[in-house]
Amino acid sequence: SSTSTEPVPEPEPIEQPAPVQPAPEPEPEIGDFDNAGNALGPDGNPLSRTFYFGYDKAVLKPADLAALEMHAQILRRNPSSSIVLEGHCDERGTREYNLALGERRADSVRSFLTSAGVSARQIETVSYGEEQPADPGHNDSAWQLNRRAVLSYR
């Protein structure tokens, strides 16, 4: 019987990947908020936080989309920030119907923001129906101001 006395090559060392460090939470962008906590647009002015709806509607108006996209950008840059979306209605309709309509209005804003990449965890919705009118009047101009969704940062 013949036994080989050739040296056995040592195995190549296996490279271990470096441990993955979780990414630190980004700091809020300077200029995203003023001292009072209001979201600021690129011009440094507060962004619109109130979005109006047509009679018996929960559809966002095209004129509001640019401001909502800016809110989405701010929320994506600031994942520790969160908002409350309040849905409101005018006084016409039953209390129950207006609570449901106010919820649909807040949900339409939430849907836009989440489709723009905002985490659903950052958004809370509430409906006040007709209970918190912006204008207590009983005419078309008052009703127009009361059909709204209001976005508030927390």
Side-chain angles (χ1 to χ4, degrees):
S1 106
S2 76
T3 54
S4 174
T5 57
E6 290 183 29
V8 176
E10 288 206 22
E12 292 286 321
I14 299 172
E15 287 211 24
Q16 295 293 325
V20 177
Q21 296 293 327
E25 264 195 25
E27 290 294 314
E29 293 271 327
I30 306 296
D32 275 349
F33 301 99
D34 65 14
N35 292 338
N38 296 308
L40 300 176
D43 59 1
N45 289 319
L47 287 175
S48 175
R49 297 184 315 106
T50 304
F51 306 97
Y52 296 97
F53 294 86
Y55 174 70
D56 201 27
K57 301 278 188 238
V59 178
L60 292 169
K61 294 183 177 179
D64 292 330
L65 300 183
L68 284 168
E69 179 55 42
M70 285 188 256
H71 283 291
Q73 290 173 17
I74 290 170
L75 287 163
R76 287 192 312 263
R77 280 194 303 264
N78 298 281
S80 62
S81 293
S82 61
I83 58 170
V84 176
L85 296 170
E86 302 173 357
H88 298 272
C89 300
D90 64 35
E91 65 191 354
R92 298 171 292 178
T94 66
R95 182 177 185 279
E96 293 77 18
Y97 183 85
N98 285 336
L99 282 170
L101 180 57
E103 185 173 339
R104 290 196 309 273
R105 289 175 175 165
D107 284 346
S108 71
V109 177
R110 179 178 46 80
S111 178
F112 178 91
L113 294 171
T114 56
S115 70
V118 176
S119 169
R121 292 187 318 268
Q122 292 176 269
I123 304 170
E124 178 184 333
T125 60
V126 63
S127 175
Y128 290 106
E130 62 194 71
E131 303 302 317
Q132 295 185 1
D135 184 325
H138 306 287
N139 55 40
D140 282 338
S141 63
W143 293 332
Q144 285 178 353
L145 293 175
N146 294 334
R147 297 189 304 257
R148 69 199 190 281
V150 179
L151 183 157
S152 300
Y153 285 82
R154 293 191 282 175

